[in-house]
Amino acid sequence: MTSAVPLLSRWCRATLTAGKKLTHIAEPASCKGVWRQCVRTLAALSNGPEPGDMRGYLNSNYKEVKQSINEELAPSISSNLLNPYAIFANNEMSLEDIEVYGFDYDYTLAFYSKDLHTLIFNTARDLLINEHRYPKEIKRFEYDPNFAIRGLHYDVHKALLMKIDSFHYIQLGTVYRGLNVVPDSEVIEMYEGSHVPLEQMSDFYGKSSEGNTLKQFMDIFSLPEMTLLSCVNEYFLKNNIDYEPVHLYKDVKEAIRDVHVKGILYRAVEADIERYICYGERTQAVLSKLSNHGKKMFLITNSPSSFVNKGMNFIVGKDWRDLFDVVIVQADKPNFFNDKRRPFRKVAERGVLLWDKIHQLEKGQTYKQGNLFEFLKLTGWRGSKVLYFGDHIYSDLADLTLKHGWRTGAIIPELKSELKIMNTSHYIKTMAWLQGLTGLLERMQVYRDAESQMVLQDWIKERQEMRDLARTMFNRQFGSIFRTNHNPTYFLRRLSRFADIYMESLSSLLNYDLHHTFFPKRTPLQHELPVFSEQQYTATLRTPLGREMAQIK
């Protein structure tokens, strides 16, 4: 969310640093009373303290800034709320240039109920007991959908689940061994600080391999895996059982894989499709809209043919193949984007694989495996005229944007719930005051006397409390998937690099015509002055704010 607080305070601080008087600066017309109040408040900070009364001076500024934020700034921000159903841009992109639309299946075209994650957790847990000889007592653990968030890292050797920011720093307070948080002092001792060196981070696709000790969980399907790892770790720790964390990680990984590879998940969903798949009438509307406008469409998924067919029959209807020019199943992404050796194979009725050599990809047919290079050769769909949507930032999007120049759209279901939290009065007031308090600390740290330092230490303590409060609004253990205390998360760093646009679901496309251009918001760099706050200029900039896009519901 673009906040007026950091924009205004950064501008004012920079002006003071340059030796200018804030009261002499012209007021932008759109900022009205908020600007005037901020100028008066921050101008007061430029006046020095009375001799011998540092505590009184600091407390006076503290109260004035807090009053300004509560009475002027927070209400102003609350009047312009971001819409959870909007599409957000990392890179400028026009739909007018897009001729071909591609889609992943799971969590892109098909959305699942929470029962599916419970199924994955329970099945993998039972596989650990029955096939890996784990203690039967772990069966008492049940899936908690509110424990983990996407994008976390797991230290395979130390058996620690944690949240890391875009600079490879661990967010203290979010490191879990089993189901319990690890004290900050212990984390700092283990890692000799809170920074994780590059060579220990996960590899390009988030995996722990070739010396990388951390695994990043980027898939929505990985939420049960993180929870199961934490539960089994918890059992071993509570019962003082000596175990090798690497073996536990590999066993849980194998059990989760078997839920998919052995077809357990697919058979369960197909047998009770109404329980596990959320009916996608808006998905059907998106596909119909694109088809009616003459757009080419294709599907590339790692899921098997019968599973996709039954799901699409339920979501779209039995004629769903008529909407797609090409359908590819069991593609084995991301290998599909890199391995030139695997040919396409046609899938006949009942999943029978034909041995014919594929000279063209025909509409109405289903193909298995293959590779992107052959796909490009047979279709001619190249470059920025292709837009592909997926939920997995690495497996779905990274190679396409880096190596092939396709435009990419990330489906982030968590976006909707997080934006709704960010639009609450409680969150806005908390973040506005957190920014104001940070500005006070930055300005007043020049006072080094003992009395001032005591006040500043109280502010630092309050600031940390506000940070912890903001984190628990999203997830009590790990907070938002997009931010650590202040920095973007490692997840958001990769999202920003590999996705041109992102949204909570494909249905967001229904709110835009197919000539729409998405513009990323220009946010000031640390060394730049904010020319304006976009939240103050919604009438001309058409940013995706609540009042501007009230029809998106």
Side-chain angles (χ1 to χ4, degrees):
M1 177 188 296
T2 304
S3 171
V5 178
L7 292 174
L8 290 176
S9 62
R10 191 187 305 160
W11 190 93
C12 292
R13 288 199 305 271
T15 304
L16 286 171
T17 303
K20 301 176 183 178
K21 290 187 177 295
L22 288 168
T23 52
H24 295 168
I25 303 302
E27 171 191 353
S30 65
C31 294
K32 300 183 179 178
V34 176
W35 176 270
R36 289 194 294 272
Q37 182 62 30
C38 285
V39 168
R40 289 197 300 269
T41 301
L42 288 171
L45 302 184
S46 65
N47 300 321
E50 295 293 331
D53 188 22
M54 285 304 305
R55 182 178 292 275
Y57 169 72
L58 294 174
N59 288 338
S60 174
N61 281 293
Y62 174 97
K63 292 176 182 178
E64 189 168 358
V65 171
K66 192 166 191 177
Q67 181 180 1
S68 170
I69 288 171
N70 288 336
E71 295 180 0
E72 300 277 353
L73 202 48
S76 174
I77 297 172
S78 297
S79 66
N80 289 293
L81 302 179
L82 286 164
N83 195 292
Y85 305 95
I87 293 177
F88 301 89
N90 293 318
N91 191 23
E92 184 174 328
M93 189 194 77
S94 176
L95 292 180
E96 190 166 14
D97 299 329
I98 305 301
E99 300 174 10
V100 185
Y101 287 78
F103 306 92
D104 181 32
Y105 175 69
D106 297 302
Y107 287 106
T108 300
L109 294 175
F111 281 83
Y112 299 98
S113 69
K114 293 182 179 179
D115 288 341
L116 185 67
H117 285 182
T118 301
L119 170 70
I120 295 172
F121 178 92
N122 290 344
T123 305
R125 178 200 61 201
D126 294 346
L127 286 172
L128 287 178
I129 296 171
N130 298 328
E131 298 190 9
H132 295 270
R133 302 178 64 184
Y134 274 67
K136 292 181 180 180
E137 287 77 11
I138 67 171
K139 198 174 182 66
R140 68 178 178 84
F141 289 102
E142 296 182 353
Y143 178 62
D144 179 3
N146 299 313
F147 176 69
I149 61 172
R150 195 153 51 125
L152 298 178
H153 281 80
Y154 183 77
D155 191 319
V156 175
H157 294 277
K158 295 182 175 69
L160 299 176
L161 189 64
M162 68 189 74
K163 185 176 171 185
I164 294 179
D165 73 11
S166 58
F167 295 95
H168 296 190
Y169 280 91
I170 300 167
Q171 182 179 2
L172 297 177
T174 68
V175 180
Y176 275 73
R177 180 188 289 117
L179 300 176
N180 293 282
V181 66
V182 179
D184 294 349
S185 57
E186 187 177 342
V187 174
I188 292 171
E189 182 180 355
M190 283 190 291
Y191 290 95
E192 299 180 349
S194 59
H195 183 262
V196 179
L198 178 62
E199 62 269 16
Q200 294 181 23
M201 291 291 289
S202 52
D203 68 10
F204 181 78
Y205 295 108
K207 299 177 181 178
S208 59
S209 59
E210 298 181 4
N212 305 101
T213 59
L214 296 187
K215 151 79 176 179
Q216 188 180 20
F217 291 100
M218 297 292 276
D219 192 354
I220 300 176
F221 280 128
S222 66
L223 293 172
E225 183 175 357
M226 286 185 274
T227 307
L228 183 58
L229 271 169
S230 299
C231 287
V232 181
N233 274 312
E234 180 74 8
Y235 175 81
F236 286 151
L237 292 168
K238 289 293 185 182
N239 291 276
N240 297 314
I241 297 173
D242 189 25
Y243 70 104
E244 173 53 62
V246 174
H247 298 332
L248 170 60
Y249 167 74
K250 290 182 177 179
D251 290 343
V252 170
K253 178 182 177 182
E254 183 177 332
I256 292 288
R257 183 196 64 197
D258 285 348
V259 174
H260 296 265
V261 173
K262 293 183 176 181
I264 302 171
L265 178 146
Y266 303 129
R267 289 192 296 272
V269 173
E270 290 178 36
D272 197 355
I273 204 161
E274 293 186 3
R275 176 182 178 185
Y276 292 110
I277 294 185
C278 302
Y279 182 62
E281 58 183 15
R282 293 179 70 81
T283 297
Q284 181 182 21
V286 170
L287 297 176
S288 297
K289 176 180 179 178
L290 296 176
S291 178
N292 292 337
H293 282 79
K295 302 299 182 181
K296 299 290 186 181
M297 288 186 286
F298 65 91
L299 170 64
I300 301 178
T301 176
N302 287 350
S303 293
S305 176
S306 62
F307 179 74
V308 173
N309 183 49
K310 288 194 176 181
M312 291 298 286
N313 284 344
F314 179 73
I315 297 168
V316 179
K318 292 185 177 180
D319 59 349
W320 68 271
R321 283 189 180 84
D322 295 340
L323 295 170
F324 292 90
D325 295 272
V326 178
V327 175
I328 301 169
V329 299
Q330 290 179 277
D332 191 27
K333 296 176 293 183
N335 292 330
F336 179 87
F337 301 128
N338 298 289
D339 191 346
K340 299 180 180 181
R341 298 168 297 178
R342 300 180 312 158
F344 285 109
R345 196 164 188 181
K346 186 181 290 188
V347 182
E349 294 295 327
R350 301 180 182 273
V352 175
L353 298 176
L354 304 182
W355 44 261
D356 309 54
K357 184 175 178 62
I358 304 301
H359 296 283
Q360 61 180 345
L361 299 175
E362 301 174 358
K363 187 170 184 175
Q365 300 297 323
T366 300
Y367 300 90
K368 178 182 176 181
Q369 293 184 347
N371 64 83
L372 184 65
F373 303 92
E374 189 70 13
F375 179 87
L376 298 176
K377 177 182 176 181
L378 295 175
T379 63
W381 296 339
R382 298 178 181 274
S384 58
K385 70 179 181 181
V386 183
L387 171 58
Y388 185 79
F389 292 97
D391 67 289
H392 198 302
I393 296 171
Y394 295 149
S395 296
D396 288 329
L397 309 181
D399 288 310
L400 292 176
T401 188
L402 290 177
K403 300 177 182 179
H404 302 284
W406 285 10
R407 309 312 293 265
T408 52
I411 304 301
I412 312 293
E414 300 93 337
L415 186 64
K416 178 179 176 180
S417 60
E418 292 219 2
L419 283 176
K420 286 186 175 181
I421 292 169
M422 292 167 67
N423 283 341
T424 62
S425 174
H426 183 36
Y427 178 83
I428 291 170
K429 289 180 179 178
T430 299
M431 293 307 298
W433 174 231
L434 178 58
Q435 290 291 90
L437 186 57
T438 301
L440 276 171
L441 280 165
E442 183 177 9
R443 180 79 182 154
M444 298 302 181
Q445 64 181 316
V446 296
Y447 300 110
R448 302 295 180 181
D449 59 280
E451 186 177 21
S452 298
Q453 287 298 307
M454 287 180 64
V455 175
L456 293 178
Q457 286 302 314
D458 288 340
W459 291 359
I460 291 172
K461 181 180 178 182
E462 181 181 357
R463 179 172 179 257
Q464 185 57 50
E465 291 171 351
M466 298 297 288
R467 284 178 154 190
D468 293 340
L469 174 61
R471 183 185 79 230
T472 58
M473 290 182 192
F474 298 98
N475 175 278
R476 291 190 62 82
Q477 291 75 231
F478 302 101
S480 166
I481 72 170
F482 301 107
R483 278 201 181 275
T484 56
N485 286 326
H486 181 77
N487 292 331
T489 58
Y490 195 81
F491 174 89
L492 182 61
R493 172 184 173 182
R494 309 306 268 176
L495 172 65
S496 301
R497 178 62 185 90
F498 300 141
D500 291 294
I501 57 176
Y502 62 100
M503 65 211 76
E504 63 95 16
S505 76
L506 280 177
S507 62
S508 296
L509 280 171
L510 296 173
N511 304 301
Y512 301 85
D513 65 49
L514 297 184
H515 300 282
H516 188 89
T517 298
F518 297 101
F519 296 96
K521 289 178 284 185
R522 182 182 175 89
T523 54
L525 303 176
Q526 294 299 311
H527 64 276
E528 293 180 327
L529 296 179
V531 179
F532 50 73
S533 164
E534 291 190 6
Q535 284 195 319
Q536 310 280 350
Y537 281 75
T538 57
T540 57
L541 292 182
R542 304 294 298 176
T543 50
L545 302 176
R547 189 162 56 185
E548 290 287 24
M549 302 182 69
Q551 75 277 14
I552 305 179
K553 294 295 181 183

